[in-house]
Amino acid sequence: MQNTAVFCDMDGTLLNSEHRISMRTRRAIAGLAGRGIPFAVVTSRGIAGTYPVLELGGVSCTAVTYGGGVILDEGRNVIFHDGFSRAKAQEVADFLGAECPNVAWIAYSFEDWVSPHRSDPRVRREERVVMAEARDGGVDSIERDEVQKLLCICDPEDTLEVERRLSERFPELTVVKSSDILIEVMPAGLSKAGAVRFLCDHWGVDPADALAFGDNYNDVPMLEVAGRSYLMGNAPDELLARMPLHAPGNDEDGVARVLEELGFVR
């Protein structure tokens, strides 16, 4: 059983509704480490928005950030990264400004994240959730010519239309809805599934022997590549109908309870 690995989304999965890691879940993660089973969080959050929550929960682990754009080992060393150019990111930003003016966006490059919309309450909320602050600025203020992601924050009634328009305008990019208000714009081919394959190869684990947990549409590729995958009980009904294995919700210690039931944690 030890020749496996566990991959876990953060928001809506590992974290409860208060965006915290419960004590029971902390113990489950520690139990995996005690048995030598690799554990990785696989999140669309950026680097700066991932570690404060892990540190508060007392968790040290491999972190897949930006939906696979940057992977850091347990010592926080970058072992993989990918992104698109500042010029491409500027194209997306210009399109949003002209065609979707009610969308607030944030651009991410490694630990730097910038937004010209910091006064927008939706951006302020995102900052509170991830326990980090964006920097005032546009794409042209990013130092490195590698942008991992643009996060589009929409009003709920606009999200599907914005996703459609972005997908049509930028077929060369990955555009995926990650919540009722969030759309991720990332390099083509970048996904949580690719991160799972990379880490399984890194650890010498067959993806068919891996476990994965997720709760939303951007988790589906990861859930499909892992041999045993659980959709959280708080996931959208459409996804729950599609996927056979379900875990209790994120406010019910769903990840920990499944790991306990499977005997991974004593």
Side-chain angles (χ1 to χ4, degrees):
M1 185 181 287
Q2 290 190 3
N3 193 29
T4 186
V6 178
F7 299 91
C8 191
D9 171 55
M10 287 183 68
D11 293 281
T13 304
L14 184 72
L15 308 183
N16 60 27
S17 295
E18 297 180 350
H19 307 286
R20 299 292 184 269
I21 302 172
S22 74
M23 185 58 68
R24 185 172 180 176
T25 303
R26 295 182 200 182
R27 288 196 297 266
I29 295 170
L32 291 174
R35 299 187 64 181
I37 297 173
F39 174 81
V41 294
V42 186
T43 180
S44 293
R45 289 181 180 227
I47 298 170
T50 297
Y51 284 105
V53 180
L54 294 179
E55 290 168 355
L56 186 65
V59 172
S60 176
C61 64
T62 296
V64 176
T65 62
Y66 300 120
V70 179
I71 303 176
L72 304 99
D73 65 18
E74 194 167 338
R76 301 194 187 183
N77 303 298
V78 174
I79 57 176
F80 174 87
H81 64 90
D82 191 15
F84 46 76
S85 67
R86 284 193 304 262
K88 180 58 68 175
Q90 189 64 60
E91 281 186 49
V92 177
D94 290 344
F95 175 81
L96 290 169
E99 303 294 332
C100 308
N102 197 37
V103 171
W105 58 264
I106 305 170
Y108 301 81
S109 175
F110 294 90
E111 297 193 40
D112 188 22
W113 54 307
V114 303
S115 176
H117 307 284
R118 283 207 62 225
S119 61
D120 190 300
R122 297 169 298 181
V123 174
R124 293 295 192 189
R125 178 189 178 278
E126 181 70 13
E127 291 177 330
R128 289 193 300 271
V129 167
V130 303
M131 301 170 62
E133 290 188 355
R135 175 171 60 82
D136 272 312
V139 171
D140 59 352
S141 71
I142 295 173
E143 181 177 351
R144 301 175 73 164
D145 191 19
E146 185 175 322
V147 176
Q148 273 79 38
K149 182 180 76 171
L150 260 74
L151 177 68
C152 305
I153 311 178
C154 313
D155 291 334
E157 63 272 16
D158 298 332
T159 305
L160 290 176
E161 177 63 14
V162 172
E163 180 187 27
R164 183 190 68 79
R165 296 179 73 178
L166 282 167
S167 297
E168 289 180 354
R169 172 61 181 81
F170 298 100
E172 73 277 17
L173 300 177
T174 295
V175 178
V176 61
K177 173 184 161 188
S178 57
S179 83
D180 287 343
I181 62 170
L182 299 179
I183 298 169
E184 321 276 347
V185 182
M186 300 179 296
L190 201 66
S191 73
K192 293 184 176 186
V196 168
R197 293 189 186 96
F198 175 88
L199 284 173
C200 281
D201 183 66
H202 183 68
W203 289 328
V205 172
D206 188 333
D209 295 325
L211 277 78
F213 296 86
D215 77 302
N216 223 309
Y217 294 94
N218 63 328
D219 296 317
V220 170
M222 171 177 72
L223 298 175
E224 290 178 339
V225 78
R228 195 179 188 102
S229 294
Y230 290 84
L231 194 66
M232 306 302 289
N234 49 285
D237 289 342
E238 189 238 337
L239 289 182
L240 288 168
R242 283 169 50 188
M243 308 206 70
L245 296 180
H246 300 163
N250 64 320
D251 286 328
E252 302 171 87
D253 296 312
V255 171
R257 288 169 62 180
V258 168
L259 292 175
E260 292 163 3
E261 290 168 6
L262 291 176
F264 280 72
V265 181
R266 295 184 180 91

